[in-house]
Amino acid sequence: MDVKIESSWKEALQTEFDKPYFKDLTDFVRAEYASATIYPPASLIFNAFNLCPFSNTKVVIIGQDPYHGPGQAHGLCFSVNDGVQFPPSLQNIFKEIDADLGIPKPTSGNLTRWAEQGVLLLNATLTVRAHQAGSHQKRGWETFTDSVIRILAEQKENLVFILWGAYAQKKGAFIDRNRHLVLSSAHPSPLSAYNGFFGNHHFSQANQWLTQHGLSPVNW
């Protein structure tokens, strides 16, 4: 199948795109966009990949579902478009960055600048119906994004995987801790942020690892 995605990802994932489940997933997603309001806009489904080529990826942050409110989702986990109010989890992410690195909360919740520095902001499910959280789960996206994580973990060295919450930790359980840095903690949502997300120092630890392995740190 010919998928419109950044060229280094296309090369890395072509065998995945040719599998029967991916055709079924594509048929489902096309039908959904034709009949309902779906987020993110169709042109931004693979935005995380297009902004952060396979060849440039050095940090992977795993989310779950796209935001399902108007104007929020644009294909990067935890990120919202310019001018959109920060969702609670993103507020807490910025609080931890400030506490960890002394970087004050930015004026925009758009994390494109992270993606362009090599941070893959990967949701487990890449599409969702408006106002229906989880509506596109178990349709094939999870199989696809599991393969993305596996290919990264097998084909690259010295990545940083950031796993917040039980769902992300389960999704990244197979990653070889001898080859990559895996940072795990509670999720930044208000329900769990005080159970170990705040004070996790993941952003400074990631930068320390990258620097130790000759890679430029991320300007969080």
Side-chain angles (χ1 to χ4, degrees):
M1 180 176 290
D2 184 26
V3 177
K4 290 178 181 172
I5 194 170
E6 187 276 331
S7 59
S8 65
W9 279 112
K10 187 162 192 166
E11 184 178 347
L13 294 170
Q14 189 58 58
T15 55
E16 212 60 30
F17 297 144
D18 291 336
K19 290 179 180 176
Y21 88 86
F22 196 84
K23 182 187 183 304
D24 293 343
L25 170 62
T26 301
D27 291 345
F28 165 75
V29 169
R30 281 187 180 139
E32 284 286 282
Y33 275 94
S35 62
T37 300
I38 307 299
Y39 299 126
S43 62
L44 297 177
I45 291 173
F46 295 113
N47 197 27
F49 302 88
N50 294 334
L51 290 171
C52 179
F54 180 83
S55 49
N56 294 1
T57 302
K58 55 190 180 183
V59 178
V60 183
I61 299 178
I62 298 175
Q64 192 161 356
D65 246 22
Y67 295 122
H68 52 83
Q72 293 180 304
H74 63 126
L76 307 178
C77 73
F78 296 106
S79 179
V80 289
N81 282 303
D82 293 326
V84 175
Q85 185 177 0
F86 298 174
S89 290
L90 187 57
Q91 287 262 25
N92 288 337
I93 288 168
F94 288 144
K95 280 183 189 173
E96 175 58 23
I97 291 171
D98 189 6
D100 188 15
L101 294 169
I103 299 172
K105 183 171 76 173
T107 55
S108 171
N110 189 329
L111 303 181
T112 294
R113 59 194 177 83
W114 291 8
E116 290 174 339
Q117 294 178 78
V119 181
L120 182 68
L121 295 160
L122 181 68
N123 273 317
T125 304
L126 299 190
T127 54
V128 69
R129 273 195 177 207
H131 312 299
Q132 294 182 39
S135 49
H136 285 187
Q137 291 177 4
K138 298 182 173 61
R139 293 286 186 164
W141 279 131
E142 296 93 338
T143 303
F144 172 69
T145 52
D146 281 349
S147 295
V148 170
I149 296 164
R150 177 181 50 76
I151 288 165
L152 281 165
E154 289 177 356
Q155 296 187 17
K156 294 181 77 78
E157 301 286 342
N158 302 323
L159 294 174
V160 180
F161 289 90
I162 296 179
L163 312 177
W164 294 327
Y167 183 90
Q169 286 160 28
K170 185 177 179 183
K171 202 166 175 70
F174 67 88
I175 297 164
D176 185 347
R177 270 68 172 168
N178 294 317
R179 287 176 68 177
H180 306 288
L181 177 65
V182 179
L183 300 173
S184 302
S185 79
H187 194 276
S189 80
L191 297 173
S192 56
Y194 287 97
N195 293 332
F197 175 77
F198 289 131
N200 66 19
H201 301 289
H202 282 179
F203 303 97
S204 59
Q205 287 184 67
N207 279 353
Q208 186 177 8
W209 172 271
L210 293 172
T211 302
Q212 284 172 351
H213 292 89
L215 298 166
S216 56
V218 176
N219 179 10
W220 299 105

